[in-house]
Amino acid sequence: MDRYQRVERPKAETTINQNEIRVTTQGLIRNYVSYASSLLQDKATPEIVLKAMGQAISKAVAIAEIIKRRVPGLHQITAISSTSITDVWEPIEEGLLPLETTRHVSMITITLSLKELDATATGYQAPPTKQLAGIGAEGGRGRGRGRGRGRGRGRGWGRVWGRSGIHLKLS
């Protein structure tokens, strides 16, 4: 493909709804989470839709899980699909024909709603129970993200002291 260059074709402009968030690989998770939280809480939007393609799918799933922890009582429907993308390549050298390649790219659509969604739909997840909703970044223990104390074996276990090669075990 070093003898070809890809031709940028104008994309069909599709309107993005007010409650739709398109997740890309370049965007930061914290920006998506803060925007989604502001839509659900400040602007009183009853539902948001996260959409991602290809490599951004895992990021969209992570964003949805973080939002579900921050905003209690969210119902979720996840839909997976795929789309075909056709790339056109023009030759750099003379004597070559233009190429068209077709790629199949996976897509995910995650709908998070404060209102109850269709529980019979494929991909539906009910809101987490009250017990799980209280667990945040601190893991439910009420402590911060410190380094911890009393974990591990400490200093000196199995260490060689001096040049003699004698192993000392501290008690």
Side-chain angles (χ1 to χ4, degrees):
M1 293 301 248
D2 55 340
R3 297 179 184 175
Y4 289 88
Q5 66 182 13
R6 192 167 68 186
V7 177
E8 294 292 329
R9 294 191 317 181
K11 296 179 182 176
E13 288 295 323
T14 57
T15 58
I16 299 175
N17 294 334
Q18 179 81 18
N19 65 339
E20 185 176 317
I21 301 171
R22 292 196 178 169
V23 179
T24 63
T25 54
Q26 285 85 23
L28 297 176
I29 289 180
R30 67 173 176 253
N31 293 344
Y32 291 120
V33 170
S34 64
Y35 180 66
S37 298
S38 70
L39 281 177
L40 286 170
Q41 295 171 343
D42 301 339
K43 296 183 181 176
T45 305
E47 77 176 28
I48 61 169
V49 179
L50 298 169
K51 290 188 175 184
M53 295 174 62
Q55 301 292 321
I57 289 176
S58 59
K59 186 179 282 192
V61 171
I63 291 165
E65 293 300 321
I66 292 169
I67 294 168
K68 282 174 21 181
R69 291 286 187 192
R70 289 199 180 174
V71 181
L74 282 177
H75 298 262
Q76 175 180 341
I77 291 182
T78 305
I80 300 171
S81 60
S82 81
T83 185
S84 296
I85 297 177
T86 303
D87 293 324
V88 178
W89 298 81
E90 285 189 352
I92 298 173
E93 300 175 1
E94 287 191 32
L96 298 174
L97 297 174
L99 295 176
E100 282 192 10
T101 58
T102 302
R103 300 180 284 140
H104 297 287
V105 181
S106 300
M107 294 174 50
I108 192 166
T109 303
I110 303 172
T111 304
L112 298 173
S113 177
L114 292 168
K115 296 180 180 178
E116 190 168 336
L117 298 171
D118 183 15
T120 60
T122 305
Y124 174 77
Q125 292 181 24
T129 61
K130 300 260 185 222
Q131 191 176 31
L132 288 177
I135 299 175
E138 62 273 348
R141 291 189 293 271
R143 295 188 207 143
R145 294 177 55 183
R147 293 180 56 106
R149 291 182 52 175
R151 308 259 191 255
R153 300 179 67 168
R155 291 185 57 118
W157 285 84
R159 232 179 214 203
V160 176
W161 295 87
R163 294 179 185 246
S164 63
I166 299 173
H167 296 284
L168 297 178
K169 188 174 182 181
L170 300 177
S171 54

